Amino acid sequence: MIGEQIQARITELNLTQAEAAEKLGITQSRLNLYINDKREPNCEFIMKICETFDISPNYLFNFNVAQAFLKEEILAETLRYIEKYKKENKKDFSAEKLAHIIPIIYEVVLTEENPKKTIEWVIEAANK
């Protein structure tokens, strides 16, 4: 999961894996396990990686605030589509149906330029 980010930072710093491992105080083979996502570092070692390579946990876990905001906006748009459909068609959904519909509509909103027709089809199919 974080191996790609560790390798990217090592490359940015023009370090070899041996040099990076030395800076972290571990063997190169152990570092290689982290880089290849065959072993997960514990929280304490994650902080050591961040301090040693001058990166944040957000960088390490490839978390982007803009991506998080975008996902929140897409979810809000998904919920707006559902509410609009409910009002226009005078229909309501059980919590169970919403649990099935929301992830599908979220994906449609995320991937399609004009999702309205697909969303209506998804809601109709789920409502049968």
Side-chain angles (χ1 to χ4, degrees):
M1 181 169 125
I2 65 173
E4 191 175 313
Q5 292 301 102
I6 294 171
Q7 182 60 58
R9 186 61 179 157
I10 289 170
T11 301
E12 286 173 9
L13 296 171
N14 292 319
L15 297 172
T16 65
Q17 282 190 13
E19 292 168 331
E22 185 178 326
K23 287 183 176 287
L24 291 167
I26 60 174
T27 63
Q28 185 176 347
S29 62
R30 182 171 168 199
L31 176 60
N32 200 31
L33 291 172
Y34 293 140
I35 289 172
N36 291 309
D37 291 319
K38 295 188 186 226
R39 185 171 180 181
E40 289 277 329
N42 62 26
C43 290
E44 186 178 316
F45 197 72
I46 287 171
M47 294 311 297
K48 182 168 183 139
I49 293 169
C50 292
E51 289 170 13
T52 302
F53 297 140
D54 194 30
I55 55 176
S56 71
N58 286 345
Y59 173 91
L60 193 58
F61 287 95
N62 202 20
F63 180 77
N64 180 319
V65 174
Q67 284 178 326
F69 181 74
L70 177 62
K71 288 177 182 179
E72 187 176 310
E73 282 299 306
I74 292 169
L75 180 58
E77 187 173 349
T78 298
L79 297 175
R80 282 193 296 272
Y81 271 112
I82 292 170
E83 284 305 311
K84 183 178 177 186
Y85 182 88
K86 284 168 49 175
K87 285 179 185 173
E88 288 176 357
N89 296 283
K90 296 180 177 65
K91 292 185 179 180
D92 207 352
F93 304 102
S94 68
E96 184 178 331
K97 284 199 186 222
L98 279 175
H100 291 292
I101 294 171
I102 290 172
I104 296 168
I105 294 176
Y106 179 91
E107 190 65 30
V108 170
V109 172
L110 185 64
T111 58
E112 292 191 22
E113 274 187 49
N114 189 3
K116 190 174 188 294
K117 288 285 183 201
T118 305
I119 289 171
E120 289 174 0
W121 178 83
V122 167
I123 291 172
E124 286 295 327
N127 213 19
K128 290 182 179 182

